[in-house]
Amino acid sequence: ASSAKSKKKTLDKIQANAVEKPQIREPTLTFNFLPMEKLPPPVLPFDDVSFSFSGKPADFLYDKLSLAVDMDSRVALVGPNGCGKSTLVKLMSGELAATRGTIKVHPKLRMSKYHQHSADVLEPDETPLGFMRKRFPPETLLKEWNLPRNEEHWRQFLTSFGFNTRQQTSPIGLMSDGQKSRLVFAMLAMKPSGILLLDEPTNHLDLDAVSGLAKA
């Protein structure tokens, strides 16, 4: 009896301090990037690429860099500030040209890029719904990518990026930095891309948006 009482006391103490088993959190945002016709690799090859902003070999940030990126590549650039991550992305996108060597982008490759100044293209007085319609006219989408769009399509599309009915028709200038980032991603997802270049894409995103982006 004494042993049973002791065990019961121990069990009561355990139950009093027990916590509920945590639930796995599923992302509520479902980012979706349109697929593009697969191109044979490599679609973005670097051949002995050297680069410096001054053009002088003594200042080379990259020297004799050879790599190849294709449409199945998943590459993360990791390093301290100032080591040249954004510069490499700009070489990939064509914003910068190699000082030496060649970067041969496949002629049919379409690239999309996200960077910290991407939100600057948004129009503060426009609404997300109006901005997307203006940026991607329905006739252009139908002609170039065979994507029929009407009012319902646009609303469903923006809803998947976390914009409710009221936010879709509110001025972009009133949105948070995170909402503006999501609207930029909606722009990137509007047309098919073979390669997505993402330069610090999670800076203003909340946990749900980061999970949705990683899943996409």
Side-chain angles (χ1 to χ4, degrees), residues 78-85:
V78 183
N81 290 339
C83 73
K85 300 187 298 294

Side-chain angles (χ1 to χ4, degrees), residues 174-192:
L174 299 179
M175 297 194 311
S176 68
D177 288 338
Q179 289 171 323
K180 290 176 183 176
S181 290
R182 284 192 272 112
L183 186 55
V184 171
F185 276 110
M187 285 171 50
L188 297 185
M190 195 63 252
K191 54 185 181 181

